[in-house]
Amino acid sequence: SAFFYTYVCEVAFGFAAALVLCFMRPGRESCVHMVRQNWRWAVVFSPLSLAANVAFTMALKLTTTSVAVTLEQLTSLFVAFFSFLLLRARYGPWALVFLCVAVAGAALATVSDAAGGETAEAPLAGDVLSLGVAVMASFYMVLFKKVFNILEGSEFFIFCAMKGAVSLCIG
């Protein structure tokens, strides 16, 4: 399936890049230490990533593509919400105005698509799955920022390779 190839590529490119970066910086912490440090987080993040990908694919089968993609674009709304809760982020008035514009645009696109006559297998279920994708993706992003405030290149690639490997195993 497409997921299999995606995660195989993530594992291959991640480990290749991590190995190159690890060997380019002698005298710093070893790659083995970074793997030991990051494997738990790979296990935590992989189900979120895999679930979002599977849910989006299912949403595409149940609702129209334009609605699924439009609702998935509400990720920014949920990123703002989770950032406020988990990272204590503060937003100014302009950020809130533009967030409202994004939500209104998604609502208008969804409503206009519903009136367009394109049929879907189970539009409500697909719409709910699309919103679930937005929630899962935004939670993943904010949690990643909270856990890994700043990552060096090799740490990021090792984490991505390990996350891909875990996703391959559970997917």
Side-chain angles (χ1 to χ4, degrees):
S1 74
F3 296 127
F4 176 76
Y5 295 118
T6 299
Y7 293 118
V8 167
C9 289
E10 189 175 25
V11 171
F13 289 126
F15 274 126
L19 287 175
V20 168
L21 289 171
C22 283
F23 289 117
M24 287 177 56
R25 51 181 210 138
R28 303 209 51 196
E29 63 184 333
S30 69
C31 289
V32 173
H33 176 70
M34 283 189 278
V35 167
R36 284 189 197 137
Q37 187 177 11
N38 289 321
W39 75 268
R40 291 174 192 93
W41 292 115
V43 169
V44 169
F45 283 100
S46 294
L48 276 174
S49 173
L50 185 63
N53 287 332
V54 170
F56 187 71
T57 302
M58 293 300 297
L60 289 174
K61 291 179 181 180
L62 298 174
T63 192
T64 62
T65 304
S66 58
V67 170
V69 171
T70 301
L71 289 175
E72 196 266 334
Q73 296 307 312
L74 290 176
T75 300
S76 58
L77 172 70
F78 295 111
V79 165
F81 175 72
F82 288 130
S83 294
F84 177 77
L85 290 179
L86 298 174
L87 303 176
R88 302 291 184 234
R90 299 291 177 244
Y91 298 99
W94 282 110
L96 296 175
V97 166
F98 289 122
L99 196 58
C100 289
V101 168
V103 170
L108 285 174
T110 303
V111 168
S112 69
D113 188 65
E118 192 177 348
T119 60
E121 188 177 317
L124 184 59
D127 295 353
V128 170
L129 276 174
S130 295
L131 284 173
V133 168
V135 170
M136 286 185 278
S138 61
F139 186 67
Y140 177 95
M141 291 177 209
V142 172
L143 188 60
F144 189 90
K145 174 71 173 169
K146 185 166 181 70
V147 171
F148 301 112
N149 193 16
I150 298 174
L151 281 180
E152 292 184 16
S154 55
E155 293 172 319
F156 175 74
F157 287 119
I158 286 176
F159 168 77
C160 287
M162 291 170 36
K163 183 181 74 66
V166 172
S167 295
L168 275 173
C169 291
I170 64 176

